[in-house]
Amino acid sequence: MQPFHPQPTCPEPLAIGPTFKRVFGLSTDSFYPENHNHHPGESEATPSENIDPADHDFRMFFHKKYSGTTDNFPQELPPADMEALLDELVTMALPYTALELVRKFPTVKDSTSFSTQLAMGVAAMMAEDLTEAESAFRRAQELIPEEPAPYVNLGQIFIRTSRPRDAEIWIMAGIEAQANHHALWELLYQLLLETKGDYAPEEVLAIAQDKSSWAGTSLATSLMTTGDRHLKASHLEKFFHLGERDPLFLIELTGAYGIAQEFEKIPPILWQAEKLSTKTLPWQLHAHGAQAEIALGAYDKALVHVKKARKDKFLSDAGTLALEELEVEIQQANASNPGAQIL
């Protein structure tokens, strides 16, 4: 998670989450900060000067509503509502309002909900209250030790606060829990740069091999500057031969084959993945398939992969643009090879 940098203006209204709207009896779907007056002298709700104006106004609105006598304002909240409210406020980038909610209902800190503790930690981290963030993430980790998010966030906190030993302990604990979580390996590399310098990638690779992690192996080989374009593919295909078929791993493997220009190895992997999977494959995997088929001169098959990639419900704007560029590349390649056909 990057440090929180408040913006000086709020040009657009904030969309209010459905739980907040229901719990606090609001009749609007949006909040307009410019329509609410600041009250800088109003008790402890007054924020610091670095708070985003939208967060300041929303926090003041919440504080005034809590302090009033509105009949529909709850004096206590069911755990499910508290969990949803904190999650919505963090999603709306209103960490100070989320922390105000916690202050008004302090028993939430004893919650046994992983999501609630995680949201409190994220809000505190966004608000630069790293002490409270650390406490919340520790509580979240105790609730579900196999979840990687608390380890990632604690690792970031300890790196930022110059506590490398604590960072190493928590990052490695996270890797033990989730050996193929990319963010943990990126943090480990960041930490090792301070002590190993240019040899950090080799150290990451050694640890990744010890932990049988394809994610760590992928990162380490990507960072190495040996000039060997086959290095990453040769390391990753060992995991494939051992039976690894996670779609995220296949994205890394097919990408590595593309770098190595071993395009002929990619189509069989996608064929098998489609046969074995009951879900739509990630768009990145089909994009790699399209790139391989272009290199092999099979433009009709490349276009099929582009069409399949568009069916991924998680397709991002950047992914859509990448697929459009691939389609143009296919058309241009086909135009320069009249003998090829496109479906």
Side-chain angles (χ1 to χ4, degrees):
M1 180 179 296
Q2 297 298 316
F4 178 57
H5 297 293
Q7 300 301 310
T9 61
C10 181
E12 297 181 356
L14 292 169
I16 297 176
T19 306
F20 202 100
K21 180 180 176 182
R22 171 179 58 80
V23 169
F24 297 116
L26 304 180
S27 58
T28 178
D29 292 326
S30 301
F31 175 78
Y32 295 83
E34 65 272 17
N35 292 338
H36 292 266
N37 295 323
H38 289 193
H39 300 279
E42 193 162 326
S43 82
E44 62 276 335
T46 303
S48 74
E49 61 182 9
N50 293 323
I51 295 180
D52 184 293
D55 200 353
H56 173 267
D57 283 3
F58 201 87
R59 187 180 185 215
M60 294 305 303
F61 161 74
F62 168 77
H63 176 75
K64 287 177 67 179
K65 196 165 183 64
Y66 179 91
S67 300
T69 58
T70 306
D71 292 337
N72 61 10
F73 191 93
Q75 295 306 304
E76 60 182 43
L77 292 173
D81 282 347
M82 177 62 76
E83 179 179 324
L85 284 170
L86 287 171
D87 188 59
E88 287 177 6
L89 290 169
V90 169
T91 302
M92 293 165 66
L94 300 176
Y96 293 93
T97 305
L99 296 178
E100 177 77 359
L101 182 67
V102 172
R103 190 183 68 81
K104 296 297 186 182
F105 299 94
T107 56
V108 69
K109 291 187 178 183
D110 298 323
S111 172
T112 57
S113 165
F114 173 84
S115 297
T116 297
Q117 295 292 349
L118 186 66
M120 281 193 291
V122 172
M125 198 170 181
M126 293 173 70
E128 299 293 337
D129 186 348
L130 300 186
T131 299
E132 184 56 45
E134 178 183 342
S135 298
F137 291 137
R138 284 179 181 272
R139 293 192 296 266
Q141 185 274 337
E142 291 175 357
L143 291 168
I144 306 183
E146 63 270 23
E147 280 290 335
Y151 301 100
V152 172
N153 289 315
L154 285 166
Q156 290 178 324
I157 289 172
F158 295 139
I159 289 175
R160 287 174 58 186
T161 55
S162 301
R163 296 159 63 184
R165 179 54 183 160
D166 287 333
E168 180 184 1
I169 290 173
W170 279 93
I171 292 169
M172 290 307 300
I175 288 173
E176 290 292 340
Q178 291 285 347
N180 291 309
H181 193 71
H182 287 278
L184 288 165
W185 288 101
E186 291 167 358
L187 283 174
L188 180 62
Y189 171 67
Q190 182 181 344
L191 188 65
L192 290 173
L193 271 177
E194 297 297 322
T195 56
K196 302 296 182 180
D198 293 341
Y199 295 100
E202 284 79 3
E203 186 72 14
V204 171
L205 181 59
I207 297 172
Q209 291 176 329
D210 180 61
K211 302 301 180 183
S212 299
S213 170
W214 57 261
T217 298
S218 178
L219 175 65
T221 51
S222 295
L223 293 168
M224 289 181 177
T225 56
T226 63
D228 180 3
R229 70 170 188 253
H230 298 278
L231 178 67
K232 185 173 181 177
S234 64
H235 277 281
L236 289 181
E237 66 182 1
K238 296 174 184 177
F239 292 93
F240 185 80
H241 295 320
L242 290 172
E244 181 61 69
R245 295 297 186 272
D246 186 311
L248 296 178
F249 163 72
L250 295 181
I251 291 173
E252 296 292 324
L253 177 61
T254 54
Y257 280 144
I259 293 172
Q261 298 183 15
E262 298 179 60
F263 302 111
E264 72 284 352
K265 292 184 177 181
I266 297 175
I269 290 175
L270 266 74
W271 178 85
Q272 184 188 69
E274 287 189 286
K275 293 296 182 183
L276 295 176
S277 179
T278 58
K279 301 178 181 179
T280 301
L281 295 180
W283 70 267
Q284 299 96 324
L285 198 50
H286 279 300
H288 289 170
Q291 291 170 324
E293 297 293 7
I294 292 172
L296 297 171
Y299 308 121
D300 56 343
K301 295 179 180 178
L303 191 58
V304 169
H305 279 300
V306 171
K307 292 178 179 178
K308 289 180 177 179
R310 288 203 171 98
K311 296 180 181 180
D312 184 355
K313 64 180 180 180
F314 299 109
L315 179 63
S316 62
D317 291 341
T320 298
L321 179 60
L323 294 178
E324 290 173 353
E325 293 174 348
L326 268 177
E327 198 162 27
V328 170
E329 184 179 351
I330 293 169
Q331 297 293 346
Q332 292 175 341
N334 184 63
S336 63
N337 294 272
Q341 294 184 354
I342 290 183
L343 296 177

